[in-house]
Amino acid sequence: MTLKLHHSLLISAALLAACATLPEPKSATEIHDQTLTLDTHIDIPLTYMTEIDPTGPTELQVDLPKLAAGKLDSGFWIVYTPQGEMTEAGYAAALDIARTRVTAIEALTDTHSDDFELALTADDVRRIVGEGKHAVLIGMENAFPLGPDLSTLDHWAEHGVRYMGLTHFGNNQFGDSSNPHAERDGGVGKWGGLSPLGRELVERLNDRGIMVDVSHTGKKTMMQAADLSRTPIIASHSGVKAVADSARNLDDEQLRKIAEVNGVAQMVALGAYVKVQTPEQVAATEAAAIEFGISSRAEYNALSKEKQAEVDARREMIAAMEPEATVADFVDHIDHAVSVAGINHVGIASDFDGGGGVDGWRDASETEAVTAELVARGYSEADIAKIWGGNLLRVMEAVEAGALN
């Protein structure tokens, strides 16, 4: 045997030995099990913790059995208030709704402390999940309940609110919405972005260590908030326009701005924003809205149970006109956001129990399907950890560090 051949055999043997010791690639299940998962938008009904016990099997998309089955570790439970009239009566009604929801979230963590714990910081989230419990954070969707001034902001901070959405459907006292109300707002913005009080709110949220949430805001409102905020902003539950051209979704300029300020855009798994309706579906939806006299969630909620059932049946008929959005369609939004904003600026929000859910991820029990799709598309374990919560926790830490009190 020549020296050259002997040397080649030794190299081959060494390579074979090295290959034999390489660990097998992790499965999607293993990666999902080892990743801290955080969903930034979980809605709750007004009957939460009174008529509905979320620790038992329920009709909700998120309850304890479903969280356990899907290994969804943590999330922001939402204090949602529909946009109403900017009057004394309107503010009072909104405040009552917000108090009902935050009381329910506190009752969840107080009553079922073996399974749920309120998290106030990013470190709290990691600790609570490490202890085998679900970390519950609080987000406020729509700042409308604050009323005509900011005197109650400290109250909400003390009750655990850690992000606040500036607007919802319809302009409010803080700024213009991505979807101005057709009648109340005439379908157009009111302020040209942030109002003077909205600018003050952004500054005060920075002071109190509360993340500024720009989902549901108009583009000018969002861009102004990003420039004004001393700390990174978030879009707690938004899709991307390049994939689904909805007024609620973010365009590429907005995605780049969020990255520029080191924020994060949480992609939302709500079918209507993941995959827009066809022209035929739009026409049918508009006809149904006129027929039933509804143009908002609040108007739908005001209907009788019988009428709601009729509306639901009609919506199902309209949805069936085209294949519904899937997990793959949802991850298309993640792909695009990553390509524009970068891997450090994208996250995940279900909007469960607020309209969210796509084929394959209909409730919390199917959460692993999202991880499986990310693995199938070649995302690394480290990147998946960023998307599933690491990026949001990084922003949360930066906001905490920037707080003045």
Side-chain angles (χ1 to χ4, degrees), residues 236-259:
S236 67
H237 60 304
S238 295
V240 295
K241 281 184 181 290
V243 179
D245 190 6
S246 164
R248 267 279 286 112
N249 288 344
L250 304 167
D251 65 25
D252 287 1
E253 184 181 13
Q254 290 174 288
L255 289 170
R256 286 190 289 269
K257 173 60 76 171
I258 287 172

Side-chain angles (χ1 to χ4, degrees), residues 59-78:
E59 294 183 0
L60 296 176
Q61 291 170 288
V62 178
D63 57 30
L64 184 57
K66 295 183 182 78
L67 288 167
K71 296 183 174 64
L72 181 53
D73 300 318
S74 57
F76 279 81
W77 270 243
I78 301 303

Side-chain angles (χ1 to χ4, degrees), residues 39-69:
D39 176 351
T40 47
H41 207 87
I42 298 170
D43 276 297
I44 60 171
L46 288 171
T47 54
Y48 202 73
M49 290 300 296
T50 53
E51 298 176 20
I52 297 174
D53 179 359
T55 62
T58 71
E59 294 183 0
L60 296 176
Q61 291 170 288
V62 178
D63 57 30
L64 184 57
K66 295 183 182 78
L67 288 167

Side-chain angles (χ1 to χ4, degrees), residues 286-308:
E286 291 174 349
I290 293 170
E291 178 183 342
F292 292 104
I294 54 172
S295 60
S296 68
R297 189 193 304 183
E299 290 174 343
Y300 168 82
N301 291 340
L303 296 175
S304 67
K305 294 296 182 182
E306 292 76 13
K307 278 294 181 184
Q308 287 183 358

Side-chain angles (χ1 to χ4, degrees), residues 67-355:
L67 288 167
K71 296 183 174 64
L72 181 53
D73 300 318
S74 57
F76 279 81
W77 270 243
I78 301 303
V79 177
Y80 160 69
T81 307
Q83 184 58 46
E85 298 290 341
M86 288 182 280
T87 62
E88 184 176 346
Y91 294 136
L95 183 59
D96 184 58
I97 291 170
R99 283 174 171 164
T100 297
R101 286 197 161 100
V102 80
T103 297
I105 297 167
E106 291 172 338
L108 171 70
T109 56
D110 289 344
T111 306
H112 303 298
S113 57
D114 288 344
D115 298 300
F116 299 95
E117 184 176 336
L118 185 65
L120 300 178
T121 67
D123 280 345
D124 281 348
V125 175
R126 298 186 184 98
R127 174 186 57 76
I128 293 165
V129 172
E131 292 172 356
K133 295 190 287 187
H134 296 284
V136 175
L137 301 109
I138 300 177
M140 178 176 278
E141 184 178 21
N142 196 3
F144 178 51
L146 270 61
D149 58 47
L150 303 180
S151 59
T152 64
L153 182 60
D154 288 351
H155 167 84
W156 296 110
E158 289 161 5
H159 278 268
V161 171
R162 289 300 177 264
Y163 80 63
M164 186 171 291
L166 302 178
T167 66
H168 196 254
F169 283 111
N171 307 325
N172 66 12
Q173 68 271 39
F174 301 109
D176 294 338
S177 168
S178 60
N179 299 80
H181 192 276
E183 296 178 0
R184 189 169 55 242
D185 304 323
V188 297
K190 175 180 176 66
W191 305 101
L194 288 168
S195 71
L197 187 62
R199 291 179 175 275
E200 185 181 351
L201 175 60
V202 170
E203 295 175 357
R204 288 285 304 280
L205 291 174
N206 289 169
D207 292 347
R208 287 309 311 253
I210 298 173
M211 293 180 286
V212 176
D213 174 22
V214 296
S215 284
H216 282 290
T217 66
K219 181 174 178 177
K220 288 182 179 179
T221 310
M222 177 255 154
M223 299 292 276
Q224 291 169 13
D227 286 333
L228 179 62
S229 180
R230 302 192 311 271
T231 57
I233 64 168
I234 68 168
S236 67
H237 60 304
S238 295
V240 295
K241 281 184 181 290
V243 179
D245 190 6
S246 164
R248 267 279 286 112
N249 288 344
L250 304 167
D251 65 25
D252 287 1
E253 184 181 13
Q254 290 174 288
L255 289 170
R256 286 190 289 269
K257 173 60 76 171
I258 287 172
E260 178 187 315
V261 299
N262 206 26
V264 62
Q266 302 287 118
M267 296 296 100
V268 66
L270 195 154
Y273 306 137
V274 172
K275 181 180 179 182
V276 295
Q277 292 182 324
T278 64
E280 293 76 16
Q281 287 175 306
V282 170
T285 299
E286 291 174 349
I290 293 170
E291 178 183 342
F292 292 104
I294 54 172
S295 60
S296 68
R297 189 193 304 183
E299 290 174 343
Y300 168 82
N301 291 340
L303 296 175
S304 67
K305 294 296 182 182
E306 292 76 13
K307 278 294 181 184
Q308 287 183 358
E310 290 182 38
V311 172
D312 292 345
R314 183 69 60 83
R315 286 173 174 170
E316 289 177 5
M317 289 175 59
I318 295 169
M321 293 167 65
E322 283 287 323
E324 63 183 301
T326 66
V327 168
D329 294 322
F330 170 60
V331 178
D332 286 345
H333 286 255
I334 294 176
D335 280 349
H336 184 83
V338 168
S339 72
V340 174
I343 193 65
N344 295 319
H345 305 288
V346 182
I348 291 173
S350 68
D351 210 346
F352 281 150
D353 295 311

